[in-house]
Amino acid sequence: PSHTMDCDNAVTVCDVRGCEQTVRRVEIDEHITRNQMRHFSLMKKHRQDLLWNIIQGVRTGMILRSF
């Protein structure tokens, strides 16, 4: 395996959709703790967008049934 795959100082992107902040792996827990309210808002917006898209799909008949 590559050193960057295991290195705590390697830079990674926050997993929260919409955050896109780059942080070192060793600092990711601190980033998540400091940004809880922002992350909550981003996740809430993502959820609202998903629900809106589902509602719009149902209204327009664009929801594909895959049962």
Side-chain angles (χ1 to χ4, degrees):
S2 168
H3 172 74
T4 56
M5 297 293 286
D6 298 321
C7 180
D8 286 340
N9 287 314
V11 175
T12 187
V13 178
C14 179
D15 286 334
V16 175
R17 184 181 297 248
C19 179
E20 300 174 4
Q21 187 167 344
T22 57
V23 294
R24 295 190 187 282
R25 271 195 197 108
V26 72
E27 299 169 343
I28 194 71
D29 289 339
E30 181 182 342
H31 165 76
I32 290 170
T33 299
R34 282 183 306 177
N35 290 279
Q36 285 181 1
M37 291 306 296
R38 179 171 179 260
H39 286 166
F40 178 76
S41 295
L42 289 168
M43 289 187 283
K44 183 178 173 186
K45 180 183 180 332
H46 178 64
R47 179 180 168 268
Q48 289 171 334
D49 290 346
L50 286 173
L51 291 173
W52 177 251
N53 288 337
I54 290 169
I55 290 167
Q56 288 301 101
V58 168
R59 286 182 182 162
T60 61
M62 297 300 290
I63 297 292
L64 299 176
R65 301 199 189 278
S66 58
F67 299 104

